[in-house]
Amino acid sequence: MEDVKLLTCNEKIRAIHDTMDVLSGKWKVSIIACLCYKGMRYSELMRQVPGISGKMLSRELKDLEMNKLIERTVAHTKPVCVHYKITPYGASLKELTEVIATWGLKHRELITH
Amino acid sequence: MEDVKLLTCNEKIRAIHDTMDVLSGKWKVSIIACLCYKGMRYSELMRQVPGISGKMLSRELKDLEMNKLIERTVAHTKPVCVHYKITPYGASLKELTEVIATWGLKHRELITH
């Protein structure tokens, strides 16, 4: 695979668009980051990702499942329990979530001091 | 500053949201990546970021300028020439654009083979 530092601007933008298409919207990076910690139920994800609506969470989870970044399992308990966990492919995004979080920490420190 | 690997899930999601608020939408990461290569005129950015509309590019550039990630200079030539370049603060996002591009390269390789 090519070294990203040797890419032309156009090639780099195409690669960025490929990632941004998979991680489209404001919430997918956060959901991936949560599931990189541990598998979670739907209700847990709702608590861990402040500001997301139920409808949005369902839609984003469906997208992520379709792209094989997460796995959904249904336990036939009463009530039914739906559990989500990261796939090995989804876990390849962990570094990206950490670089994004690191920048956010520095940004918050800068604008609050 | 805290090590991102020691953050709780909540803290990490807040840090991610801080970054995603600044880089909201599909285009800002690409614009930052372009300007990390070199300063560019508006028309050059339009060519380098395929798919973006003129209206959207203007709006995203305004947001990035407001967040002090890019600088805008106007040369009083005929016609007037508007030039954009990355600020040192904007350049702190270069690593993030490279991690995003690297994942995109691998993703494209995986889904096309």
Side-chain angles (χ1 to χ4, degrees):
Chain A
M1 196 189 78
E2 289 154 286
D3 177 350
V4 74
K5 295 190 191 308
L6 305 177
L7 294 178
T8 65
C9 187
N10 268 92
E11 288 165 341
K12 189 167 176 188
I13 299 311
R14 190 180 74 161
I16 286 172
H17 281 185
D18 284 348
T19 303
M20 299 306 279
D21 282 348
V22 172
L23 297 179
S24 58
K26 174 178 172 175
W27 307 104
K28 289 191 177 83
V29 175
S30 300
I31 296 167
I32 293 278
C34 279
L35 296 178
C36 281
Y37 273 88
K38 64 184 176 77
M40 291 188 187
R41 288 190 311 276
Y42 179 90
S43 49
E44 249 176 310
L45 279 167
M46 276 297 288
R47 278 197 305 279
Q48 292 288 355
V49 183
I52 196 167
S53 70
K55 197 175 151 201
M56 179 61 84
L57 178 57
S58 303
R59 203 182 78 186
E60 300 290 60
L61 287 169
K62 215 168 265 163
D63 277 0
L64 291 171
E65 200 184 341
M66 206 181 56
N67 276 313
K68 300 191 174 44
L69 296 172
I70 66 172
E71 251 167 38
R72 178 177 184 270
T73 49
V74 181
H76 296 289
T77 48
K78 284 228 171 27
V80 168
C81 172
V82 183
H83 193 263
Y84 296 91
K85 70 173 186 157
I86 201 88
T87 61
Y89 191 48
S92 70
L93 283 162
K94 186 172 184 194
E95 185 207 355
L96 191 143
T97 66
E98 289 179 345
V99 170
I100 288 175
T102 301
W103 196 86
L105 283 176
K106 285 183 203 155
H107 181 64
R108 177 170 286 258
E109 214 168 88
L110 194 84
I111 57 174
T112 49
H113 289 85
Chain B
M1 195 188 77
E2 289 155 288
D3 176 352
V4 74
K5 295 190 191 304
L6 305 177
L7 294 179
T8 65
C9 187
N10 269 92
E11 288 165 341
K12 189 169 177 187
I13 300 310
R14 190 181 73 162
I16 286 171
H17 281 185
D18 284 347
T19 303
M20 300 305 278
D21 283 346
V22 172
L23 297 178
S24 58
K26 174 178 172 177
W27 307 105
K28 290 191 176 85
V29 175
S30 301
I31 296 167
I32 293 278
C34 279
L35 296 178
C36 282
Y37 272 88
K38 62 184 178 77
M40 290 187 189
R41 287 190 311 278
Y42 179 89
S43 49
E44 249 176 308
L45 279 166
M46 277 296 287
R47 278 197 307 277
Q48 292 286 355
V49 182
I52 196 167
S53 69
K55 197 175 153 201
M56 178 60 86
L57 178 57
S58 303
R59 204 181 78 184
E60 301 290 62
L61 289 169
K62 216 169 267 162
D63 278 359
L64 292 171
E65 199 184 344
M66 206 181 57
N67 276 313
K68 301 192 172 43
L69 295 172
I70 65 171
E71 252 168 39
R72 177 177 184 273
T73 48
V74 180
H76 295 289
T77 48
K78 283 231 174 12
V80 167
C81 173
V82 183
H83 192 261
Y84 295 92
K85 69 174 187 155
I86 201 87
T87 61
Y89 191 47
S92 70
L93 283 161
K94 188 172 182 198
E95 185 208 354
L96 190 143
T97 66
E98 289 180 344
V99 171
I100 289 176
T102 301
W103 196 85
L105 282 176
K106 286 183 202 157
H107 182 64
R108 178 170 286 259
E109 213 168 90
L110 195 84
I111 57 173
T112 50
H113 288 83

